[in-house]
């Protein structure tokens, strides 16, 4: 599907949109005229080689980086000049490629911090007294697959894969409408990756809009209904996984480097190979 065709999605179905986003760091053009849409109730993949600009785009979408040009919309609301705290209260949550946790706190307390971040500080005591601010932390940690006996453990003692699960649970604590995931499958083994994929599909089925950056192509091709491919700061392809994997430009820039011609791979049941 072309960028022009993708732009025809009804506005009411789009939870997050970037339009004409450009970012420059000195002499480096990190992003150039990027357009993407993230629909409600679906998982959208953002893929590309290292250094393509994926994390920079995430920074723009969540408010950590202001673009030099272009706009960001949450639903129909323009949020280009609002900060991350405001976007979080509007229902946008994010995880990071490099883990961003409160390392001296326990896994459970990290999740509680996430829940509190969606409430303005002057309302917190009032809501707590009325019982509106309670979050089932244990249920959230169990949902992402963290063993119950690790809830009270400081996160700086956890392995990286389990710390990523804590970060995901913290993001889910605000009950987001839009979830940005930056390589959540990094460090996970095959069963854990499959469980993550099942969870993401469950969240999307409940109406959540998910934008996924991930190098695990088996996971991406299994769960994503649409893909955007970034290379050197530009979107070089957008469409279904089938359309993207058949695009010669995408194979040259990214997929061909991951799976050279003639390489044999065994794909789990339910996943789609990258090559016909």
């Amino acid at each position: 599907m072309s960028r022009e065709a993708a732009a025809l999605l009804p506005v009411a179905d789009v939870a997050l949109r970037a339009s004409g986003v450009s970012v420059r760091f000195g002499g480096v053009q990190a992003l150039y005229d990027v357009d993407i849409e993230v629909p409600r109730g679906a998982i959208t993949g953002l893929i590309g080689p290292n250094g393509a600009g994926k994390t920079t785009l995430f920074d723009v979408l969540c408010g950590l980086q202001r673009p030099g040009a272009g706009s960001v919309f949450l639903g129909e609301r323009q949020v280009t000049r609002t900060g991350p705290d405001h976007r979080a209260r509007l229902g946008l949550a994010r995880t990071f490629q490099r883990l961003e946790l409160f390392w001296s706190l326990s896994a459970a307390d990290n999740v509680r911090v996430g829940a509190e971040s969606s409430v303005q500080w002057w309302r917190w005591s009032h809501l707590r007294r009325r019982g509106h601010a309670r979050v089932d932390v244990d249920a959230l940690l169990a949902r992402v697959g963290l063993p119950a006996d690790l809830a009270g453990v400081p996160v700086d003692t956890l392995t990286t894969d389990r710390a990523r699960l804590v970060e995901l649970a913290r993001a889910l604590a605000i009950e987001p409408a839009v979830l940005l995931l930056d390589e959540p499958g990094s460090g996970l083994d095959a069963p854990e990756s499959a469980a993550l994929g099942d969870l993401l599909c469950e969240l999307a089925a409940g109406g959540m809009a998910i934008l996924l950056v991930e190098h695990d192509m088996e996971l991406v091709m299994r769960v994503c209904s649409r893909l955007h491919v970034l290379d050197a700061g530009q979107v070089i392809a957008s469409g279904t996984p089938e359309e993207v994997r058949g695009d010669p430009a995408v194979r040259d820039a990214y997929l061909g480097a991951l799976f050279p011609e003639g390489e044999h791979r065994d794909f789990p049941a339910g996943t789609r190979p990258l090559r016909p």
Side-chain angles (χ1 to χ4, degrees):
M1 182 180 292
S2 67
R3 292 174 67 181
E4 291 77 10
L8 297 178
L9 281 173
V11 172
D13 293 336
V14 177
L16 177 66
R17 176 163 59 95
S19 177
V21 166
S22 295
V23 174
R24 176 180 287 275
F25 299 115
V28 178
Q29 188 75 48
L31 295 172
Y32 179 72
D33 195 27
V34 171
D35 295 335
I36 68 165
E37 291 183 338
V38 184
R40 294 181 175 86
I43 304 169
T44 302
L46 179 64
I47 64 173
N50 290 329
K54 302 183 296 296
T55 295
T56 299
L57 180 58
F58 263 36
D59 288 346
V60 171
L61 295 174
C62 77
L64 287 174
Q65 173 69 47
R66 184 168 292 184
S71 303
V72 178
F73 296 84
L74 270 173
E76 298 182 38
R77 186 194 301 253
Q78 174 155 180
V79 295
T80 311
R81 296 186 176 276
T82 65
D85 55 335
H86 182 73
R87 298 186 202 192
R89 286 194 289 272
L90 291 175
L92 187 147
R94 180 210 176 155
T95 67
F96 291 81
Q97 179 183 17
R98 296 182 178 179
L99 287 166
E100 298 287 347
L101 291 166
F102 299 98
W103 296 103
S104 63
L105 298 182
S106 68
D109 283 341
N110 267 271
V111 176
R112 291 189 185 98
V113 169
E116 293 179 7
S117 71
S118 64
V119 181
Q120 291 154 321
W121 65 267
W122 60 87
R123 296 180 180 175
W124 183 251
S125 296
H126 172 70
L127 291 174
R128 180 179 289 173
R129 286 196 300 271
R130 297 189 61 178
H132 294 310
R134 295 176 183 171
V135 173
D136 192 338
V137 172
D138 292 337
L140 275 174
L141 291 173
R143 190 178 191 189
V144 301
L146 192 78
D149 60 337
L150 296 179
V153 172
V155 293
D156 63 359
T157 66
L158 298 178
T159 58
T160 299
D161 56 329
R162 286 178 167 174
R164 288 194 183 281
L165 297 178
V166 175
E167 191 178 40
L168 175 57
R170 186 181 64 182
L172 294 177
I174 71 168
E175 300 181 340
V178 181
L179 180 61
L180 310 182
L181 299 175
D182 199 344
E183 299 190 25
S186 178
L188 301 184
D189 61 24
E192 291 168 336
S193 179
L196 173 64
D198 292 343
L199 173 60
L200 297 185
C201 290
E202 177 187 327
L203 294 171
M208 189 179 296
I210 299 175
L211 182 61
L212 173 67
V213 167
E214 184 56 67
H215 288 296
D216 181 348
M217 287 297 102
E218 295 174 14
L219 174 62
V220 168
M221 292 292 175
R222 180 166 74 91
V223 304
C224 292
S225 57
R226 285 186 53 78
L227 297 176
H228 299 285
V229 186
L230 269 181
D231 184 38
Q234 294 181 279
V235 176
I236 61 171
S238 295
T240 66
E242 290 80 6
E243 291 169 337
V244 166
R245 76 180 184 189
D247 190 311
V250 176
R251 281 208 288 258
D252 290 344
Y254 185 50
L255 296 185
L258 290 179
F259 300 101
E261 286 290 352
E263 179 179 323
H264 174 75
R265 293 185 61 87
D266 294 321
F267 287 82
T271 66
R272 293 170 288 205
L274 293 173
R275 297 185 182 278

